[in-house]
Amino acid sequence: MTPYPGLLRIAPLRGETTSSLVCRIASRYGLEAKGLRSYWQWLNQQPKHEGGACRADAEVVLNAAGRHLLANLCGIGEDVAARALPSWGQQDAKLPAGRDGVPAAVWRIGGVVVGPVAFGCGLCTAQRTGTVVRAVRYVPRWDRVCVRHGRWLLDADADQPREYLDVRRLPEVVAAQRRWAGVGRRAVRAGAEPARVFALARAVVARWWEGAYGWERETVWPRRLHLVAGGDAGGDLEWWRIVGRDAVVFPEVVAVADALLDPGMAELVWADSGAGRLRALPADGLFCRRLGERVGRPWLGPLVASDHGGPLIAWMGGVIRRRRGVGGPPGYDNDPWWLRQEHHAATMAGQLRVLGKEKKAPGSGTMWRAVVPVEQRAQIGSLVDGAQEQLIQLRGAQAGSSADVAQRLLRILGHSADLIEKALQHTVVAAVNAGVPPQDVARWAKLPPGPLADALKAYQGAGD
């Protein structure tokens, strides 16, 4: 088709995906998005979810001719589009070059092209554009509250129908977003990237969220979850725990980020570690106790301290190693803000996919996550990670007098062995409860004669 300048001026929204803008242009002219997209030559298929629905976070990368065409259809200059659309300048080797060539486009996933993608506030979009139409934007996870309308904007990469959660009855969530601006500035002054600080704090609190099922004294999060669910999340609690998590825990995420940037809190970590005299972190340490107080839960300290292998303990280990000046050249193990891949908070999209698979085969035993409770899985992971974190402390430990070195090695190795033993026991129990034959569990674990092996034999005998 021959491109013609747009009859209407359709300005892009700040941070909007190019795909979202194309859909809004089509709606403004009374067309289907598929019809308008025929102006471009497409080199691949539109991304879809496993169920066949088109992905809301799908993104479009255009060549020079394609960008020129889009700007004409919007009735704006390319410089305006470049300032508003984060993916505007993205390149792709598959696209033909040249502004005078064929307008071409390729489909991509927004999260891979630029970063996290969320739905825009529909009310703000309607006020800005004069039409009721969906918009999708690149939005960092610390900026998900529409303060004007009291909405938490959900990730756009999940296969679920909701675009937002109503947080008008949760003023603490709105206040936390305002507070984050100051926390981000503090991170910059401390020489840390705000995005990394937020990601670590979010991973810490998301891990707490997984274990909160067993917190008898926790009353804040259940109340918030029921409110974002419209009054009662009980009808589909697992689904709401996934969809509502980020909004519900947001105030605690900001509070944890603020605490981790506080030099005084780092001093408490150093004191808990022995202040130069190597020792295991205590269960009643000053740091964890103070952190619990800062998130409004004075009782949380011992629970935090017992999460041996989580991102918080890893951060504490980084603080200690940096203070001691050990651990080799600068790298991830000396960087407190380094977040291991396994510690990243699970995404809403990923958790919903797992939940969907589990519902299709409940109790079948074919999937570990389907038959082993989340608390038990978290406990096993915590013990294993804790043993790993303890062993990292042994780097450079074989220097000094024989007595000092032996004491350090034996104490930490003994503590690590104890954690591994507990992880083994929990895994054996989980496997048997999941339906794995006890004789196989005993063989795989290479269990020597003892109480655990005897218990498995008794379990097997009872089933014969």
Side-chain angles (χ1 to χ4, degrees):
M1 293 185 179
T2 303
Y4 296 101
L7 300 176
L8 302 172
R9 187 179 187 278
I10 306 172
L13 304 173
R14 180 177 60 86
E16 189 173 12
T17 67
T18 303
S19 174
S20 171
L21 176 59
V22 171
C23 291
R24 288 201 302 110
I25 295 171
S27 176
R28 190 70 182 275
Y29 283 103
L31 301 172
E32 291 187 2
K34 184 177 180 180
L36 183 65
R37 287 198 290 261
S38 64
Y39 275 70
W40 290 269
Q41 181 183 86
W42 294 87
L43 304 183
N44 60 351
Q45 298 295 316
Q46 184 174 2
K48 296 183 179 181
H49 292 291
E50 293 180 0
C54 293
R55 294 184 59 131
D57 67 330
E59 180 56 298
V60 174
V61 176
L62 307 171
N63 66 349
R67 292 193 293 270
H68 182 65
L69 169 59
L70 182 60
N72 278 345
L73 290 172
C74 290
I76 61 175
E78 292 189 39
D79 58 330
V80 176
R83 288 194 298 270
L85 304 175
S87 68
W88 185 260
Q90 296 290 328
Q91 305 294 326
D92 193 286
K94 296 180 180 180
L95 292 171
R99 180 166 176 167
D100 298 327
V102 176
V106 293
W107 287 104
R108 290 289 181 262
I109 301 299
V112 177
V113 175
V114 176
V117 182
F119 294 104
C121 174
L123 297 177
C124 289
T125 302
Q127 291 176 355
R128 173 77 184 274
T129 65
T131 59
V132 179
V133 62
R134 186 175 75 180
V136 182
R137 301 169 52 231
Y138 292 102
V139 187
R141 299 190 186 282
W142 57 79
D143 192 25
R144 292 297 178 86
V145 180
C146 172
V147 176
R148 177 181 298 176
H149 299 111
R151 291 182 169 186
W152 177 274
L153 308 177
L154 290 171
D155 290 340
D157 61 346
D159 187 9
Q160 60 87 31
R162 289 179 175 267
E163 297 182 9
Y164 69 92
L165 300 176
D166 188 343
V167 294
R168 287 176 295 178
R169 297 171 65 186
L170 296 174
E172 63 269 34
V173 175
V174 179
Q177 181 166 292
R178 292 194 177 102
R179 183 184 178 190
W180 168 254
V183 176
R185 289 192 294 269
R186 173 183 279 191
V188 173
R189 290 195 298 269
E193 297 178 26
R196 297 180 68 200
V197 174
F198 184 85
L200 177 61
R202 180 170 175 262
V204 169
V205 179
R207 190 171 175 103
W208 294 352
W209 175 259
E210 291 301 318
Y213 264 133
W215 295 356
E216 295 181 359
R217 301 176 68 178
E218 177 58 48
T219 59
V220 176
W221 283 347
R223 178 185 66 84
R224 289 184 194 157
L225 185 62
H226 287 304
L227 286 176
V228 299
D232 183 12
D236 198 351
L237 182 60
E238 282 299 316
W239 189 89
W240 277 110
R241 275 182 54 83
I242 293 171
V243 175
R245 182 197 66 187
D246 283 353
V248 169
V249 305
F250 186 57
E252 285 73 23
V253 172
V254 176
V256 168
D258 190 37
L260 299 186
L261 287 166
D262 186 345
M265 296 293 284
E267 284 297 321
L268 294 181
V269 173
W270 179 241
D272 287 340
S273 72
R277 299 183 302 275
L278 191 64
R279 72 178 185 187
L281 293 170
D284 59 345
L286 294 172
F287 169 79
C288 291
R289 194 186 314 161
R290 186 68 56 80
L291 184 62
E293 294 171 356
R294 291 184 69 148
V295 296
R297 295 163 175 82
W299 46 266
L300 185 58
L303 296 175
V304 171
S306 65
D307 186 13
H308 302 290
L312 183 62
I313 300 297
W315 176 85
M316 296 169 69
V319 169
I320 295 168
R321 288 190 292 274
R322 176 177 286 186
R323 186 70 176 268
R324 286 179 179 153
V326 300
Y332 75 90
D333 60 338
N334 290 329
D335 182 1
W337 307 111
W338 179 274
L339 186 61
R340 299 174 188 170
Q341 185 61 41
E342 63 270 23
H343 286 162
H344 280 268
T347 65
M348 178 175 70
Q351 292 182 94
L352 287 177
R353 283 195 297 269
V354 171
L355 182 64
K357 291 177 180 178
E358 291 175 354
K359 286 187 174 181
K360 291 179 181 177
S364 66
T366 58
M367 296 177 63
W368 179 264
R369 290 178 59 92
V371 291
V372 179
V374 61
E375 303 93 332
Q376 204 165 12
R377 300 197 309 267
Q379 193 168 32
I380 293 170
S382 174
L383 290 166
V384 173
D385 290 346
Q388 180 185 21
E389 185 64 32
Q390 289 293 318
L391 293 174
I392 290 176
Q393 302 288 335
L394 292 178
R395 292 180 180 176
Q398 298 191 56
S401 70
S402 298
D404 289 342
V405 171
Q407 184 183 52
R408 286 196 295 267
L409 288 174
L410 291 174
R411 281 184 175 178
I412 293 181
L413 287 172
H415 187 47
S416 301
D418 183 55
L419 293 173
I420 290 295
E421 178 66 21
K422 290 179 179 178
L424 176 67
Q425 294 173 4
H426 284 289
T427 304
V428 165
V429 172
V432 172
N433 289 338
V436 180
Q439 62 271 25
D440 290 341
V441 173
R443 186 176 73 255
W444 295 336
K446 296 182 180 179
L447 292 176
L452 190 58
D454 293 342
L456 280 178
K457 290 179 181 178
Y459 185 97
Q460 182 180 358
D464 288 343

